[in-house]
Amino acid sequence: MTMIIEVKDLVKTYGRKRALDNVSFTLNAGSPIALVGPNGAGKTTLFSTLCGYLNADSGSVSIFGHKPGSDGLFGRLAALPQDAQLDPRFSVSNQLCLYGQLQGLDKKAAENETHRVLELVDLKDCFHSKPHELSHGMRKRICIAQTLLSHPEVVLLDEATAGLDPVNAREIRNLVRTLQSDTTFILSSHDLVELDDLCDQVLHLQQGKLTAVDRIAQAELATLTVKLKETGTHGHVEQLKTLQGVENVSLNASGAILIEYRSGQQVDIDVLQLCRAQGWHYKSLVNGKTLEDELFG
Ligand SMILES: Nc1ncnc2c1ncn2[C@@H]1O[C@H](COP(=O)(O)OP(=O)(O)OP(=O)(O)O)[C@@H](O)[C@H]1O
C-alpha cells in the first residue's frame, strides 16, 4: 500500500486556543477517508495545514515525502476549502483553464482538461457560464471540478456537500465513488450517513485531539444494525440474545438494535425469521455499525 500522508505530533494554536493538539496519523492510498468531529474540532485547521495554507507550530507533515505547499505536490494534491468561491468576474472556462495553466498545461491542454472535469461533474454545458448564472450547487460542483484538474492523487474535500440539495449531494458522492480507484479522497462532513456510505476509514477529531478509527480492521465480532418500525425495547433485545452465535445485543440512541455476533456465523436470516415469528415490523438490516454508533455509541 502506498503511504500518502504522515502526520507526527502536529500542534497548531491560535493565541491560547489549541486547535490541533499533538495529532499523529498515517494514511494510505485507497478508498475514501472521513474526517469527522463537532464544530470547532479542528478539521479545517487540519486540512489547511495539510494544504500548506497554515503553518503548524510544531510537529511534521509529509505528503508523498514532501512538505505541504511544496512544488513536488503540484498536481498531486488538490483541495476544496470549506468556503471556496469562484471569481464572479470570470467565466468558468477562464478560471479553470487558468488553474490548468498554472499547473503547467499549455492553453489547449488546459482547455481540454477543463472540458474533461466539467463533464465529470455533469456540467459540460457551463464552460462559458459566469458564476452568477449558476446555482449554489452548480458552483460547488465547478469548484470540485477544479480540484480534479490534472488527475491529482489525493483530493481533500472540506464539507463538499454542505448546503446542497439531495440530488446535488448524491452526484458528488457518486463522483467520489467513480474516481476512488485513481484518487484518494479525504472528506470532512457533518453528514455521518454520507460518510458511512463512502468511507472505510475515519479520522475523528475532538477538541483538536485525534482518534483514528480503522473500520476495516474490526474483525472478531461482527455487528448487524436492525431497525424496526417500532422503537427497539428490552423485550426485543432479550429475544435476539437467544439466537445462536449472538454475543451481545443493545439499543442505540435512536432505538435501532445492535447485534454483535461471532464473525463467520450467519445470523441475518435467523434475525429476519425471528422478526417474522414475533410480528415485529422490520424496516432495515445493515451489516456493521453505523458510523454514528461507532463514534458515539
Ligand atoms: N483564525 C482563527 N483565529 C482564532 N481561532 C481560530 C481561527 N481559526 C479557527 N480557530 C479556532 O480553532 C478551533 C478549530 O477550528 P476549525 O475551523 O479548524 O474547526 P472545524 O472542526 O473545521 O469546525 P467546523 O465544523 O465548525 O467547520 C475552533 O475553536 C476555532 O474557534
Side-chain angles (χ1 to χ4, degrees):
M1 256 196 242
T2 314
M3 183 161 75
I4 51 171
I5 298 179
E6 184 175 32
V7 170
K8 278 191 199 153
D9 304 323
L10 202 64
V11 174
K12 173 68 191 172
T13 52
Y14 300 102
R16 294 170 62 190
K17 174 83 206 172
R18 252 189 180 223
L20 296 176
D21 191 358
N22 275 305
V23 170
S24 299
F25 61 87
T26 55
L27 297 176
N28 293 322
S31 49
I33 297 152
L35 175 61
V36 300
N39 289 133
K43 303 179 298 294
T44 299
T45 303
L46 179 59
F47 267 167
S48 302
T49 313
L50 295 179
C51 294
Y53 306 149
L54 281 177
N55 289 323
D57 302 353
S58 60
S60 64
V61 178
S62 166
I63 305 173
F64 298 117
H66 299 278
K67 285 193 172 157
S70 58
D71 290 353
L73 294 175
F74 231 53
R76 299 188 76 183
L77 174 96
L80 173 77
Q82 193 173 21
D83 45 9
Q85 300 281 347
L86 294 167
D87 190 321
R89 295 168 298 171
F90 302 107
S91 70
V92 167
S93 60
N94 280 155
Q95 300 190 51
L96 268 57
C97 288
L98 172 67
Y99 285 117
Q101 286 176 279
L102 288 174
Q103 291 183 359
L105 301 176
D106 65 31
K107 196 160 181 278
K108 188 70 207 156
E111 235 178 75
N112 290 339
E113 189 56 5
T114 298
H115 283 296
R116 185 186 72 84
V117 295
L118 286 178
E119 182 130 22
L120 281 175
V121 297
D122 207 14
L123 290 175
K124 63 178 189 314
D125 296 338
C126 299
F127 188 81
H128 297 293
S129 305
K130 287 276 196 68
H132 74 266
E133 295 166 333
L134 306 171
S135 71
H136 170 70
M138 291 160 97
R139 288 198 295 270
K140 194 98 183 203
R141 274 153 62 197
I142 302 277
C143 291
I144 291 173
Q146 184 190 317
T147 69
L148 301 173
L149 288 164
S150 301
H151 304 269
E153 291 156 74
V154 180
V155 173
L156 311 178
L157 299 179
D158 197 356
E159 309 229 4
T161 56
L164 296 188
D165 67 67
V167 175
N168 270 297
R170 193 185 56 203
E171 296 266 337
I172 289 170
R173 287 195 291 276
N174 286 343
L175 180 65
V176 169
R177 268 191 209 100
T178 310
L179 300 178
Q180 64 176 345
S181 52
D182 296 322
T183 302
T184 304
F185 288 89
I186 306 176
L187 305 139
S188 93
S189 170
H190 290 288
D191 184 342
L192 295 183
V193 175
E194 164 178 290
L195 293 175
D196 206 4
D197 201 30
L198 280 175
C199 302
D200 281 338
Q201 205 181 154
V202 180
L203 299 174
H204 184 208
L205 268 181
Q206 210 158 10
Q207 296 186 343
K209 292 187 189 292
L210 185 87
T211 327
V213 185
D214 187 343
R215 312 189 70 203
I216 304 169
Q218 300 168 356
E220 284 183 10
L221 282 185
T223 308
L224 279 181
T225 303
V226 181
K227 283 189 186 163
L228 302 175
K229 284 187 185 153
E230 54 271 28
T231 304
T233 64
H234 184 66
H236 295 118
V237 169
E238 288 308 310
Q239 292 270 8
L240 286 160
K241 274 185 183 166
T242 63
L243 294 179
Q244 199 176 0
V246 170
E247 291 283 315
N248 189 30
V249 184
S250 57
L251 299 173
N252 74 7
S254 53
I257 304 167
L258 270 56
I259 303 170
E260 286 186 305
Y261 62 98
R262 284 189 292 283
S263 292
Q265 302 258 347
Q266 217 187 353
V267 301
D268 46 1
I269 293 178
D270 291 347
V271 170
L272 292 176
Q273 282 174 342
L274 184 66
C275 286
R276 185 188 294 180
Q278 296 292 327
W280 300 343
H281 297 100
Y282 156 82
K283 202 160 134 193
S284 70
L285 184 149
V286 176
N287 270 313
K289 285 183 185 177
T290 63
L291 183 57
E292 190 174 2
D293 280 324
E294 234 164 75
L295 295 174
F296 309 115

